[in-house]
Amino acid sequence: MEANAVDHMSMWSLISNASLVVQLVMLALVAASVTSWIMIFQRSTMLRAAKKSLEVFEERFWSGIDLSKLYRQAGSNPDPDCGVEQIFRAGFKEFSRLRQQPGVDPDAVMDGVARAMRVAISREEEKLETGLSFLATVGSTSPYVGLFGTVWGIMNSFRGLAQVQQATLATVAPGIAEALIATAIGLFAAIPAVIAYNRFAAQGERLIGRYYTFADEFQAILHRKVHTSED
């Protein structure tokens, strides 16, 4: 009899005996958790690749290589993970295009370069922010969804108590335990999502800061180049 009670209170037994609403809540939370972990691994891989490619490209950029040669190399073998390369290509492409037009003022050239690089940086920001809204949503709503399942399960338990003559702890415990599992699953889904969101947001901000720094330095080089050639 004791063994039957233990089996009745096992995790799988509690989940399988839960009401349909509570089971649907658990299923939704498990799906959100699995999707979050897939996204976490994907974002971690992408951010590591973006950081590594940034360091590699900056090393090439500051090695003294001719900018035209670097632009040709980047165009012939583009790295989609390298945000700073996309910014460089956008800026240098606009610079070359405007320089080829006769009578264009140097300040107008630099304004065009600045706009092109701002657009490229905005695109990289969008890439870095992809998936963050989902993680934020899972992190903020999962505990409440789990709590809803818990409240619903406890409500059903008390309804069942109203139909019995004598209420004991053994009568109440299974219903409350199965309801509390929903809250536990909600927390299990929310905590990693919140941690990952904060981590990815901070790493993304650092990368964007380095992109803006590179754009300013590159713009200063092109500014000297365009004014030197005018002199």
Side-chain angles (χ1 to χ4, degrees):
M1 186 173 182
E2 184 177 350
N4 290 335
V6 172
D7 291 340
H8 189 62
M9 290 294 291
S10 67
M11 185 71 68
W12 176 249
S13 177
L14 291 173
I15 294 174
S16 60
N17 292 327
S19 66
L20 178 61
V21 173
V22 177
Q23 287 180 341
L24 289 176
V25 167
M26 292 178 184
L27 181 63
L29 291 172
V30 169
S33 179
V34 171
T35 306
S36 295
W37 278 107
I38 293 173
M39 196 164 292
I40 287 170
F41 286 122
Q42 289 177 342
R43 301 304 296 172
S44 297
T45 302
M46 189 273 290
L47 285 168
R48 281 196 301 269
K51 183 180 178 182
K52 182 178 180 180
S53 60
L54 167 64
E55 294 170 350
V56 170
F57 186 83
E58 282 190 331
E59 185 177 352
R60 289 169 59 199
F61 180 82
W62 294 111
S63 65
I65 187 173
D66 181 70
L67 295 181
S68 299
K69 181 179 180 181
L70 181 60
Y71 177 76
R72 289 192 299 271
Q73 291 177 353
S76 61
N77 187 24
D79 184 358
D81 295 325
C82 187
V84 72
E85 180 182 295
Q86 311 305 320
I87 297 166
F88 166 78
R89 290 177 60 195
F92 195 80
K93 180 180 180 180
E94 186 68 8
F95 177 80
S96 301
R97 185 183 71 83
L98 293 175
R99 287 294 305 279
Q100 291 174 359
Q101 297 180 5
V104 179
D105 185 72
D107 292 333
V109 173
M110 296 312 303
D111 288 341
V113 170
R115 284 194 300 271
M117 288 196 291
R118 280 198 301 269
V119 171
I121 293 175
S122 297
R123 288 175 182 155
E124 296 306 316
E125 283 185 294
E126 290 178 2
K127 289 181 185 178
L128 293 174
E129 291 173 358
T130 302
L132 289 185
S133 59
F134 178 80
L135 292 176
T137 301
V138 171
S140 60
T141 61
S142 291
Y144 297 105
V145 175
L147 184 60
F148 168 76
T150 296
V151 171
W152 188 274
I154 292 176
M155 214 165 53
N156 284 338
S157 297
F158 281 112
R159 282 179 185 171
L161 284 178
Q163 300 174 2
V164 298
Q165 297 293 329
Q166 185 177 1
T168 63
L169 184 60
T171 308
V172 180
I176 295 178
E178 70 189 28
L180 289 174
I181 292 175
T183 298
I185 297 176
L187 293 174
F188 179 79
I191 292 172
V194 171
I195 294 174
Y197 172 82
N198 292 330
R199 181 168 174 264
F200 294 154
Q203 290 179 340
E205 287 179 3
R206 285 195 293 269
L207 277 173
I208 292 299
R210 293 185 66 175
Y211 290 162
Y212 274 109
T213 300
F214 172 83
D216 291 340
E217 293 170 339
F218 182 42
Q219 194 170 343
I221 293 174
L222 295 180
H223 186 273
R224 290 194 298 268
K225 188 179 182 68
V226 70
H227 283 84
T228 300
S229 61
E230 287 292 323
D231 295 341

